[in-house]
Amino acid sequence: MAEEKKKVDAPCCSGDSNMLYLWAVGGLVLGLIVGYFIFPGMVPATNTGATGTGGNTTATTVFTLDQAKVSQIGGFLANYYFVSTGEETAATFTRYVDKGAYVELYYTVAGQEMPIMVSKDYKYFYAGAYELAPTIAQMEAARQAAANETAAQAQGIPQSSNPQVQMFVMSYCPYGNQAEGGLVPVIQLLADSATFEPVYIIYPSGNECADNNGTRYCSLHGNAELWQDVREKIIFSMYGEKKWADYVAKANTDCTLSNIDTCWVTAADAVGGINTTAVVAEFEASKFTILASEMAKTNQNSVSGSPTIKINGVTFNGGRTAQAYKDAICGAYTTAPEECGQNVSSTATAASGSCG
Protein backbone atom coordinates (compact mmCIF):
# COMPACT_ATOMS: atom_id res chain seq x y z
CA MET A 1 0.00 0.00 0.00
CA ALA A 2 1.11 3.56 -0.64
CA GLU A 3 1.23 4.46 3.02
CA GLU A 4 3.56 1.64 4.07
CA LYS A 5 7.15 2.93 4.36
CA LYS A 6 10.45 1.46 5.36
CA LYS A 7 12.64 3.62 7.55
CA VAL A 8 16.06 4.04 5.99
CA ASP A 9 19.02 4.45 8.31
CA ALA A 10 21.94 6.00 6.49
CA PRO A 11 25.42 6.89 7.77
CA CYS A 12 25.32 10.46 6.47
CA CYS A 13 24.47 13.31 5.46
CA SER A 14 22.62 15.74 7.77
CA GLY A 15 22.28 16.81 11.34
CA ASP A 16 24.86 15.23 13.66
CA SER A 17 26.49 13.25 10.86
CA ASN A 18 27.12 16.47 8.96
CA MET A 19 29.00 17.78 12.00
CA LEU A 20 31.05 14.57 12.10
CA TYR A 21 32.11 15.23 8.52
CA LEU A 22 32.95 18.80 9.41
CA TRP A 23 35.06 17.84 12.43
CA ALA A 24 36.84 15.02 10.63
CA VAL A 25 37.52 16.79 7.38
CA GLY A 26 38.00 20.15 9.06
CA GLY A 27 40.74 18.64 11.20
CA LEU A 28 42.27 17.29 8.04
CA VAL A 29 42.27 20.70 6.35
CA LEU A 30 43.89 22.31 9.37
CA GLY A 31 46.48 19.54 9.37
CA LEU A 32 47.18 20.09 5.70
CA ILE A 33 47.95 23.73 6.32
CA VAL A 34 49.99 23.57 9.56
CA GLY A 35 50.96 19.91 9.85
CA TYR A 36 54.27 20.34 8.09
CA PHE A 37 55.40 23.05 10.46
CA ILE A 38 54.32 21.26 13.65
CA PHE A 39 54.94 17.61 12.72
CA PRO A 40 57.55 17.62 9.94
CA GLY A 41 58.05 13.87 10.35
CA MET A 42 54.54 13.26 9.00
CA VAL A 43 55.52 14.70 5.63
CA PRO A 44 58.05 13.12 3.26
CA ALA A 45 61.55 14.52 3.44
CA THR A 46 62.02 17.52 1.22
CA ASN A 47 64.51 18.41 -1.44
CA THR A 48 65.12 21.88 -2.69
CA GLY A 49 62.51 22.05 -5.41
CA ALA A 50 61.27 24.26 -8.17
CA THR A 51 58.45 26.75 -8.17
CA GLY A 52 56.02 27.71 -10.87
CA THR A 53 52.48 28.13 -12.11
CA GLY A 54 52.42 25.33 -14.68
CA GLY A 55 54.42 22.69 -16.54
CA ASN A 56 57.06 20.20 -15.39
CA THR A 57 59.93 20.47 -12.91
CA THR A 58 63.32 18.81 -12.81
CA ALA A 59 63.17 17.74 -9.14
CA THR A 60 63.97 14.20 -7.96
CA THR A 61 60.53 13.03 -9.09
CA VAL A 62 59.07 14.84 -12.04
CA PHE A 63 55.91 16.76 -11.18
CA THR A 64 53.30 17.55 -13.80
CA LEU A 65 50.69 20.17 -13.02
CA ASP A 66 47.35 18.50 -13.73
CA GLN A 67 44.80 21.27 -14.14
CA ALA A 68 41.87 18.90 -13.61
CA LYS A 69 43.28 17.67 -10.28
CA VAL A 70 44.19 21.21 -9.25
CA SER A 71 40.61 22.29 -9.96
CA GLN A 72 39.26 19.30 -8.03
CA ILE A 73 41.32 20.18 -4.95
CA GLY A 74 40.19 23.80 -5.28
CA GLY A 75 36.60 22.58 -5.27
CA PHE A 76 37.36 20.61 -2.10
CA LEU A 77 38.59 23.77 -0.37
CA ALA A 78 35.57 25.77 -1.55
CA ASN A 79 33.25 23.02 -0.29
CA TYR A 80 34.98 23.01 3.09
CA TYR A 81 34.54 26.76 3.36
CA PHE A 82 30.84 26.42 2.53
CA VAL A 83 30.28 23.64 5.08
CA SER A 84 32.16 25.67 7.71
CA THR A 85 30.56 29.06 7.12
CA GLY A 86 27.50 28.57 4.89
CA GLU A 87 29.03 31.06 2.45
CA GLU A 88 30.12 30.53 -1.13
CA THR A 89 33.70 31.29 -2.11
CA ALA A 90 36.17 30.34 -4.83
CA ALA A 91 39.50 28.64 -4.18
CA THR A 92 41.82 30.05 -6.84
CA PHE A 93 45.05 28.24 -7.64
CA THR A 94 48.00 30.64 -7.61
CA ARG A 95 51.27 28.70 -7.65
CA TYR A 96 53.07 25.57 -6.58
CA VAL A 97 56.35 24.73 -4.86
CA ASP A 98 57.99 21.42 -5.70
CA LYS A 99 59.45 20.07 -2.45
CA GLY A 100 61.08 17.06 -4.09
CA ALA A 101 59.11 14.24 -2.45
CA TYR A 102 55.81 16.10 -2.60
CA VAL A 103 54.41 19.39 -3.85
CA GLU A 104 52.76 22.37 -2.19
CA LEU A 105 49.79 23.76 -4.11
CA TYR A 106 48.83 27.29 -3.13
CA TYR A 107 45.27 28.60 -3.32
CA THR A 108 43.69 31.91 -2.44
CA VAL A 109 40.60 31.22 -0.32
CA ALA A 110 38.50 34.12 1.00
CA GLY A 111 41.35 36.51 0.27
CA GLN A 112 44.11 34.48 1.96
CA GLU A 113 46.72 32.29 0.33
CA MET A 114 47.14 28.83 1.81
CA PRO A 115 49.21 25.76 0.88
CA ILE A 116 47.90 22.25 0.41
CA MET A 117 50.52 19.50 0.41
CA VAL A 118 49.89 16.59 -1.96
CA SER A 119 51.81 13.67 -3.36
CA LYS A 120 53.13 14.15 -6.86
CA ASP A 121 50.78 11.52 -8.25
CA TYR A 122 47.83 13.36 -6.64
CA LYS A 123 46.90 10.28 -4.70
CA TYR A 124 47.47 11.58 -1.14
CA PHE A 125 47.06 14.67 0.93
CA TYR A 126 49.74 15.39 3.57
CA ALA A 127 50.19 15.54 6.58
CA GLY A 128 49.49 11.89 7.09
CA ALA A 129 48.35 9.59 4.27
CA TYR A 130 44.82 10.69 3.40
CA GLU A 131 43.58 9.33 0.09
CA LEU A 132 42.61 12.28 -2.06
CA ALA A 133 39.63 10.87 -3.99
CA PRO A 134 37.54 9.59 -1.05
CA THR A 135 38.36 12.67 1.03
CA ILE A 136 37.10 14.92 -1.74
CA ALA A 137 33.99 12.73 -2.03
CA GLN A 138 33.38 13.07 1.72
CA MET A 139 33.55 16.84 1.49
CA GLU A 140 31.16 16.86 -1.49
CA ALA A 141 28.69 14.80 0.57
CA ALA A 142 29.06 17.16 3.52
CA ARG A 143 28.45 20.17 1.27
CA GLN A 144 25.32 18.54 -0.19
CA ALA A 145 24.01 17.82 3.30
CA ALA A 146 24.63 21.43 4.32
CA ALA A 147 22.86 22.69 1.19
CA ASN A 148 19.87 20.41 1.85
CA GLU A 149 19.56 21.54 5.45
CA THR A 150 19.91 25.19 4.46
CA ALA A 151 17.13 24.82 1.87
CA ALA A 152 14.74 23.33 4.43
CA GLN A 153 15.64 25.75 7.20
CA ALA A 154 15.11 28.72 4.89
CA GLN A 155 11.52 27.56 4.47
CA GLY A 156 11.02 26.88 8.18
CA ILE A 157 10.42 23.18 7.47
CA PRO A 158 10.79 20.96 10.57
CA GLN A 159 12.78 17.74 10.38
CA SER A 160 11.49 14.20 10.86
CA SER A 161 12.73 10.67 10.26
CA ASN A 162 10.10 10.18 7.53
CA PRO A 163 9.24 13.49 5.81
CA GLN A 164 5.60 13.86 4.80
CA VAL A 165 5.14 15.48 1.40
CA GLN A 166 1.67 16.50 0.22
CA MET A 167 1.21 17.72 -3.36
CA PHE A 168 -2.03 19.70 -3.77
CA VAL A 169 -2.80 19.76 -7.50
CA MET A 170 -5.50 19.67 -10.16
CA SER A 171 -5.03 16.99 -12.78
CA TYR A 172 -5.21 19.49 -15.64
CA CYS A 173 -3.76 22.65 -14.17
CA PRO A 174 -0.74 23.36 -16.43
CA TYR A 175 1.27 24.75 -13.51
CA GLY A 176 0.45 21.73 -11.40
CA ASN A 177 1.47 19.43 -14.24
CA GLN A 178 4.82 21.22 -14.50
CA ALA A 179 5.33 20.86 -10.76
CA GLU A 180 4.51 17.15 -11.05
CA GLY A 181 7.20 16.92 -13.73
CA GLY A 182 9.71 18.28 -11.23
CA LEU A 183 8.52 15.99 -8.44
CA VAL A 184 8.45 12.74 -10.44
CA PRO A 185 12.24 12.06 -10.31
CA VAL A 186 12.31 13.05 -6.63
CA ILE A 187 9.51 10.61 -5.83
CA GLN A 188 11.34 7.86 -7.68
CA LEU A 189 14.50 8.67 -5.70
CA LEU A 190 13.07 9.08 -2.18
CA ALA A 191 9.78 7.16 -2.04
CA ASP A 192 11.29 4.40 0.12
CA SER A 193 12.14 6.80 2.95
CA ALA A 194 9.64 9.68 2.63
CA THR A 195 5.86 9.64 2.32
CA PHE A 196 4.38 11.32 -0.76
CA GLU A 197 0.67 11.92 -1.28
CA PRO A 198 -1.11 13.74 -4.10
CA VAL A 199 -4.16 15.66 -2.86
CA TYR A 200 -6.61 16.89 -5.48
CA ILE A 201 -8.05 20.34 -4.90
CA ILE A 202 -11.83 20.10 -4.75
CA TYR A 203 -14.15 23.08 -4.27
CA PRO A 204 -17.78 23.12 -3.03
CA SER A 205 -18.87 25.39 -5.90
CA GLY A 206 -17.99 26.10 -9.49
CA ASN A 207 -19.26 26.36 -13.06
CA GLU A 208 -19.43 22.59 -13.60
CA CYS A 209 -19.75 20.24 -10.66
CA ALA A 210 -20.90 16.78 -9.60
CA ASP A 211 -23.69 16.54 -7.04
CA ASN A 212 -24.16 13.81 -4.46
CA ASN A 213 -27.12 14.12 -2.07
CA GLY A 214 -26.95 17.89 -2.18
CA THR A 215 -23.18 18.17 -1.80
CA ARG A 216 -21.38 19.67 -4.79
CA TYR A 217 -17.88 18.65 -5.79
CA CYS A 218 -16.10 20.92 -8.27
CA SER A 219 -12.72 21.08 -9.97
CA LEU A 220 -11.56 24.33 -11.55
CA HIS A 221 -11.47 22.97 -15.10
CA GLY A 222 -14.78 21.11 -15.05
CA ASN A 223 -15.97 17.55 -14.66
CA ALA A 224 -13.47 16.01 -17.08
CA GLU A 225 -10.75 17.14 -14.68
CA LEU A 226 -12.83 16.19 -11.62
CA TRP A 227 -13.19 12.57 -12.70
CA GLN A 228 -9.52 12.37 -13.70
CA ASP A 229 -8.64 13.62 -10.22
CA VAL A 230 -10.53 10.64 -8.84
CA ARG A 231 -8.88 8.15 -11.21
CA GLU A 232 -5.40 9.43 -10.38
CA LYS A 233 -6.08 9.19 -6.65
CA ILE A 234 -7.30 5.62 -7.12
CA ILE A 235 -4.11 4.71 -9.00
CA PHE A 236 -2.07 6.24 -6.18
CA SER A 237 -4.03 4.35 -3.52
CA MET A 238 -3.88 1.02 -5.37
CA TYR A 239 -0.32 1.10 -6.71
CA GLY A 240 1.69 3.59 -4.66
CA GLU A 241 3.48 6.82 -5.41
CA LYS A 242 6.09 5.47 -7.84
CA LYS A 243 3.46 4.02 -10.16
CA TRP A 244 1.34 7.13 -9.71
CA ALA A 245 4.34 9.27 -10.71
CA ASP A 246 4.93 7.18 -13.84
CA TYR A 247 1.25 7.37 -14.72
CA VAL A 248 0.73 11.12 -14.30
CA ALA A 249 3.91 11.80 -16.28
CA LYS A 250 2.49 9.72 -19.15
CA ALA A 251 -1.05 11.13 -18.94
CA ASN A 252 0.24 14.70 -18.75
CA THR A 253 2.31 14.14 -21.88
CA ASP A 254 -0.05 12.07 -24.01
CA CYS A 255 -3.56 13.17 -23.01
CA THR A 256 -5.51 16.41 -23.02
CA LEU A 257 -8.47 17.63 -21.01
CA SER A 258 -10.71 17.11 -24.04
CA ASN A 259 -9.83 13.41 -24.47
CA ILE A 260 -8.86 12.32 -20.94
CA ASP A 261 -12.13 10.41 -20.46
CA THR A 262 -10.77 7.74 -22.82
CA CYS A 263 -7.07 8.56 -23.05
CA TRP A 264 -6.51 7.75 -19.39
CA VAL A 265 -6.81 4.05 -20.27
CA THR A 266 -4.26 4.36 -23.08
CA ALA A 267 -1.82 6.08 -20.73
CA ALA A 268 -2.31 3.41 -18.05
CA ASP A 269 -1.76 0.61 -20.55
CA ALA A 270 1.39 2.31 -21.82
CA VAL A 271 2.81 2.56 -18.29
CA GLY A 272 1.91 -1.05 -17.51
CA GLY A 273 1.07 -2.71 -14.23
CA ILE A 274 -2.26 -0.88 -13.86
CA ASN A 275 -5.48 -2.90 -13.99
CA THR A 276 -7.85 -0.41 -15.59
CA THR A 277 -10.86 -2.67 -15.01
CA ALA A 278 -10.13 -2.60 -11.28
CA VAL A 279 -9.68 1.19 -11.42
CA VAL A 280 -13.08 1.59 -13.09
CA ALA A 281 -14.73 -0.66 -10.48
CA GLU A 282 -13.20 1.37 -7.63
CA PHE A 283 -14.22 4.58 -9.37
CA GLU A 284 -17.86 3.53 -9.52
CA ALA A 285 -17.87 2.30 -5.94
CA SER A 286 -15.94 5.12 -4.22
CA LYS A 287 -15.83 8.29 -6.34
CA PHE A 288 -17.89 10.43 -3.98
CA THR A 289 -16.11 9.10 -0.90
CA ILE A 290 -12.80 10.03 -2.51
CA LEU A 291 -14.07 13.48 -3.52
CA ALA A 292 -15.31 14.15 0.02
CA SER A 293 -11.93 13.17 1.45
CA GLU A 294 -10.01 15.33 -1.01
CA MET A 295 -12.27 18.33 -0.37
CA ALA A 296 -11.82 17.90 3.39
CA LYS A 297 -8.01 17.85 3.02
CA THR A 298 -8.18 20.90 0.76
CA ASN A 299 -10.17 22.80 3.38
CA GLN A 300 -8.16 21.57 6.38
CA ASN A 301 -4.96 22.83 4.80
CA SER A 302 -6.48 26.11 3.54
CA VAL A 303 -5.31 25.34 0.01
CA SER A 304 -6.86 27.00 -3.02
CA GLY A 305 -4.10 27.09 -5.65
CA SER A 306 -2.44 24.38 -7.71
CA PRO A 307 0.34 23.52 -7.17
CA THR A 308 0.83 23.77 -3.41
CA ILE A 309 3.54 21.60 -1.88
CA LYS A 310 3.65 20.95 1.86
CA ILE A 311 6.64 19.30 3.51
CA ASN A 312 6.07 18.21 7.12
CA GLY A 313 3.03 20.47 7.17
CA VAL A 314 4.83 23.62 5.96
CA THR A 315 4.16 25.13 2.55
CA PHE A 316 7.26 25.02 0.35
CA ASN A 317 7.74 28.29 -1.51
CA GLY A 318 10.98 27.53 -3.31
CA GLY A 319 11.73 26.72 -6.93
CA ARG A 320 9.77 24.15 -8.90
CA THR A 321 12.75 22.26 -10.27
CA ALA A 322 13.51 18.66 -9.35
CA GLN A 323 16.71 19.72 -7.59
CA ALA A 324 14.91 22.38 -5.53
CA TYR A 325 12.27 19.88 -4.41
CA LYS A 326 14.92 17.29 -3.60
CA ASP A 327 17.04 19.71 -1.58
CA ALA A 328 14.06 20.87 0.49
CA ILE A 329 12.81 17.35 1.19
CA CYS A 330 16.30 16.05 2.00
CA GLY A 331 16.73 18.91 4.43
CA ALA A 332 13.56 17.76 6.20
CA TYR A 333 15.12 14.43 7.29
CA THR A 334 16.64 14.16 10.74
CA THR A 335 19.10 11.76 9.11
CA ALA A 336 19.12 11.97 5.33
CA PRO A 337 19.40 8.77 3.27
CA GLU A 338 22.35 8.34 0.95
CA GLU A 339 20.08 9.05 -2.05
CA CYS A 340 20.11 12.69 -0.98
CA GLY A 341 23.69 12.88 -2.23
CA GLN A 342 22.50 12.32 -5.78
CA ASN A 343 21.62 15.10 -8.19
CA VAL A 344 18.29 14.91 -9.99
CA SER A 345 17.05 16.55 -13.13
CA SER A 346 13.87 16.76 -15.13
CA THR A 347 12.59 18.32 -18.31
CA ALA A 348 9.96 20.27 -16.37
CA THR A 349 9.79 24.02 -16.84
CA ALA A 350 10.15 25.98 -13.62
CA ALA A 351 6.84 27.83 -13.92
CA SER A 352 5.80 30.35 -11.29
CA GLY A 353 2.02 30.63 -11.84
CA SER A 354 -0.85 28.73 -10.28
CA CYS A 355 -4.44 27.68 -10.90
CA GLY A 356 -7.10 28.73 -8.44
Side-chain angles (χ1 to χ4, degrees):
M1 296 298 293
E3 63 271 22
E4 293 178 356
K5 299 290 168 205
K6 295 184 291 184
K7 181 179 178 182
V8 173
D9 294 318
C12 69
C13 299
S14 71
D16 293 340
S17 57
N18 188 42
M19 290 304 299
L20 289 176
Y21 269 140
L22 181 55
W23 278 103
V25 184
L28 166 61
V29 172
L30 183 62
L32 298 177
I33 299 169
V34 304
Y36 171 67
F37 301 102
I38 300 175
F39 304 109
M42 295 180 68
V43 183
T46 63
N47 298 324
T48 301
T51 63
T53 57
N56 296 334
T57 71
T58 57
T60 305
T61 302
V62 175
F63 170 67
T64 300
L65 192 69
D66 185 327
Q67 292 292 350
K69 292 291 186 183
V70 166
S71 177
Q72 209 175 18
I73 295 169
F76 167 81
L77 294 174
N79 286 344
Y80 172 73
Y81 190 86
F82 177 84
V83 171
S84 302
T85 68
E87 298 178 3
E88 298 281 1
T89 192
T92 305
F93 174 72
T94 56
R95 62 192 176 96
Y96 69 87
V97 177
D98 189 329
K99 306 298 283 188
Y102 66 97
V103 66
E104 290 177 345
L105 303 177
Y106 284 80
Y107 294 82
T108 299
V109 182
Q112 295 186 347
E113 188 179 60
M114 58 177 288
I116 291 291
M117 292 169 279
V118 299
S119 60
K120 288 188 171 183
D121 59 2
Y122 297 95
K123 187 174 182 181
Y124 295 104
F125 283 128
Y126 297 120
Y130 296 95
E131 285 200 61
L132 188 148
T135 304
I136 288 174
Q138 277 191 342
M139 182 53 71
E140 289 173 348
R143 179 200 165 87
Q144 184 62 58
N148 292 343
E149 193 162 346
T150 298
Q153 288 175 348
Q155 297 286 331
I157 297 170
Q159 293 185 321
S160 66
S161 60
N162 174 234
Q164 307 292 303
V165 183
Q166 288 181 303
M167 305 158 286
F168 292 83
V169 293
M170 304 168 186
S171 58
Y172 270 90
C173 168
Y175 303 107
N177 291 163
Q178 289 167 344
E180 287 170 344
L183 279 164
V184 163
V186 182
I187 292 170
Q188 301 293 3
L189 182 70
L190 299 175
D192 291 335
S193 57
T195 299
F196 295 85
E197 181 193 11
V199 180
Y200 292 90
I201 298 172
I202 306 299
Y203 303 113
S205 61
N207 292 329
E208 184 181 17
C209 307
D211 183 272
N212 182 51
N213 296 326
T215 301
R216 289 166 60 82
Y217 300 101
C218 315
S219 194
L220 185 65
H221 303 98
N223 282 354
E225 179 178 66
L226 183 74
W227 300 133
Q228 180 61 10
D229 291 347
V230 174
R231 286 187 287 262
E232 290 185 6
K233 192 58 181 260
I234 290 170
I235 289 170
F236 166 79
S237 298
M238 293 179 68
Y239 299 103
E241 56 264 73
K242 288 186 178 182
K243 183 65 71 175
W244 172 88
D246 287 341
Y247 173 73
V248 296
K250 189 66 174 172
N252 291 348
T253 300
D254 292 359
C255 304
T256 66
L257 187 60
S258 62
N259 70 8
I260 191 60
D261 284 342
T262 55
C263 186
W264 80 267
V265 175
T266 304
D269 289 343
V271 168
I274 297 173
N275 184 331
T276 55
T277 301
V279 172
V280 169
E282 182 63 17
F283 178 93
E284 294 302 329
S286 305
K287 57 181 179 287
F288 288 114
T289 301
I290 292 168
L291 287 172
S293 175
E294 299 301 277
M295 188 160 69
K297 290 177 182 178
T298 300
N299 293 335
Q300 288 164 6
N301 288 276
S302 301
V303 172
S304 60
S306 168
T308 297
I309 311 300
K310 287 183 176 285
I311 304 172
N312 285 343
V314 175
T315 300
F316 171 68
N317 292 313
R320 294 180 184 174
T321 65
Q323 191 67 35
Y325 287 133
K326 191 219 76 171
D327 288 347
I329 295 167
C330 284
Y333 286 94
T334 48
T335 301
E338 62 182 14
E339 288 83 0
C340 284
Q342 301 179 29
N343 290 324
V344 291
S345 63
S346 73
T347 58
T349 303
S352 59
S354 66
C355 301

